[in-house]
Amino acid sequence: MSTTSASPSSVLALVAWVAVGLLLPVVLFRTQLGRPRAVRVGAPASSREGEPRRNVRAKGDLMRVPADDVRTLFDVLRRGRDRTPAKKIIGYREVVRIIEEEKEVTKVVGGVEKKEIKKW
């Protein structure tokens, strides 16, 4: 009867894959393993819906502000700049194409129906 043992390189590869599988989500998504990120806050509205959930930091009530020192949009931008100075705070998208649609709209002006073509 022969027994096979795993080579050190295959064991090391397995350990590396397990470490990557556990650590990568933590690094990428800042998850906290073993700690709940959401709590149940009520019963579902119908049998086809799930229970409403809320972030653990806002279990009692909805958060009014993201942090104590944030009250205005300027505070949000300043906090983003201070927390991640190497990253961009505001982004933009280039216009790829503009879509215009025409629709015939009926208006009643002075008791008379008037049809117009509107673009938007």
Side-chain angles (χ1 to χ4, degrees):
M1 197 155 108
S2 68
T3 58
T4 59
S5 62
S7 67
S9 63
S10 64
V11 171
L12 185 60
L14 178 64
V15 169
W17 275 108
V18 169
V20 167
L22 291 175
L23 295 178
L24 192 62
V26 173
V27 172
L28 290 178
F29 306 111
R30 298 179 188 251
T31 59
Q32 300 171 350
L33 296 174
R35 297 167 111 185
R37 291 177 301 216
V39 292
R40 294 181 180 110
V41 293
S46 71
S47 62
R48 295 173 38 198
E49 296 181 6
E51 296 172 328
R53 301 177 71 79
R54 192 176 291 155
N55 188 298
V56 293
R57 288 182 265 165
K59 353 178 182 180
D61 194 15
L62 293 177
M63 295 174 66
R64 302 289 178 220
V65 292
D68 292 334
D69 61 336
V70 175
R71 297 282 178 213
T72 64
L73 177 60
F74 178 75
D75 294 338
V76 171
L77 297 174
R78 184 175 46 200
R79 181 179 164 96
R81 180 202 63 198
D82 294 343
R83 290 187 74 194
T84 55
K87 295 183 179 180
K88 294 181 180 179
I89 297 172
I90 298 177
Y92 67 94
R93 295 182 182 179
E94 293 187 25
V95 177
V96 177
R97 69 175 188 257
I98 297 175
I99 300 172
E100 287 187 353
E101 295 180 358
E102 292 184 1
K103 184 175 180 182
E104 189 174 335
V105 178
T106 305
K107 288 184 171 182
V108 178
V109 179
V112 179
E113 286 189 7
K114 182 180 175 186
K115 293 187 178 185
E116 286 184 357
I117 295 180
K118 289 212 163 212
K119 290 184 184 180
W120 59 74

